[in-house]
Amino acid sequence: MKLRYSIALAIPLAGAQAMAADLALKIDIPQLNVAEYHKPYIAAWLENADQKVVTNLAVLYDVKKKDKAGEKWLKDMRQWWRKTGRDLAMPVDGVSGATRAPGEHTLTFPAAKDALGKLPAGNYTVVVEASREAGGRELVKVPVAWPPKGAKEFAAQGKEELGNVVVQVKP
C-alpha cells in the first residue's frame, strides 16, 4: 500500500524587464509500506533545451549528520550528481535543505530568483530526482515554457519514489 504525501516548492520570480512571475513545484512523494523507510534525498533543477543545468532549485539531504556524512550519499542522485552536484561545495546557501518527513511541505528559493528572472524565453525542463537509502531512485522530467503568458500547469508522473510532479507558472 502506498500513502501519498506532497511537497510544494514555491519560487517568486522577478524578471529582467520588471516582469513578476511565480513558479511553484509540487511533488507527490509516496510513503512506501516497507520494513525500513528512510526519507528520500531530493534534487530539483532547471535545464535548458540542450539539457544543460540553468540553476539548482533544491537539494534536500541529511545536512545535520556529523562530519558532513550526509554528503556521502548525494552521489546516489546520479543524474544530478553527474550534471552539477559533484562541482558544488555543499551545502549551498538557499538551495540545500534537510530531508523532510512524509507530509506536505512548502519551500521557497530566494537564491534561485536571479537566475530564473533572467531566463531568456524558451523551452526548459524542471528535473526532480529522488533517491532513498534501502530504496530506489527515480527521475521525473517536466517540460516548461518560459516566460509564462498565463497561468499554466505542466505535469509528469513518477512510478515508485515520486508520484505526480506538477510545475505551476503564473505571470
Side-chain angles (χ1 to χ4, degrees):
M1 175 178 150
K2 289 184 188 177
L3 299 174
R4 297 277 182 196
Y5 296 93
S6 65
I7 290 179
L9 309 174
I11 305 170
L13 304 175
Q17 292 109 0
M19 179 189 88
D22 289 323
L23 180 141
L25 174 60
K26 293 183 180 179
I27 304 171
D28 184 33
I29 298 175
Q31 166 70 54
L32 303 174
N33 189 14
V34 294
E36 186 178 343
Y37 182 83
H38 296 274
K39 297 177 207 172
Y41 279 25
I42 298 173
W45 67 96
L46 187 69
E47 292 182 349
N48 63 17
D50 295 329
Q51 297 182 355
K52 303 284 185 215
V53 175
V54 173
T55 191
N56 284 287
L57 299 173
V59 180
L60 306 178
Y61 68 101
D62 196 343
V63 294
K64 298 278 185 183
K65 271 201 166 178
K66 187 178 180 181
D67 299 323
K68 296 186 169 193
E71 292 178 19
K72 172 182 177 183
W73 306 106
L74 288 173
K75 62 183 174 250
D76 286 352
M77 295 184 289
R78 294 179 190 146
Q79 292 298 312
W80 171 80
W81 182 255
R82 289 177 185 142
K83 288 185 176 240
T84 186
R86 66 175 142 206
D87 298 327
L88 296 175
M90 299 303 286
V92 177
D93 189 35
V95 173
S96 301
T99 58
R100 303 295 195 267
E104 190 168 294
H105 306 277
T106 300
L107 304 173
T108 59
F109 304 99
K113 180 178 170 182
D114 291 337
L116 294 170
K118 295 175 185 172
L119 284 180
N123 294 316
Y124 295 89
T125 303
V126 173
V127 184
V128 179
E129 185 170 19
S131 179
R132 220 172 24 86
E133 182 181 350
R137 183 182 66 79
E138 186 164 18
L139 186 81
V140 174
K141 295 183 175 190
V142 183
V144 176
W146 192 262
K149 293 182 173 130
K152 293 188 179 187
E153 282 192 357
F154 305 91
Q157 180 68 41
K159 295 179 182 166
E160 291 294 324
E161 298 299 326
L162 295 167
N164 199 32
V165 177
V166 179
V167 178
Q168 298 173 323
V169 293
K170 294 181 211 171

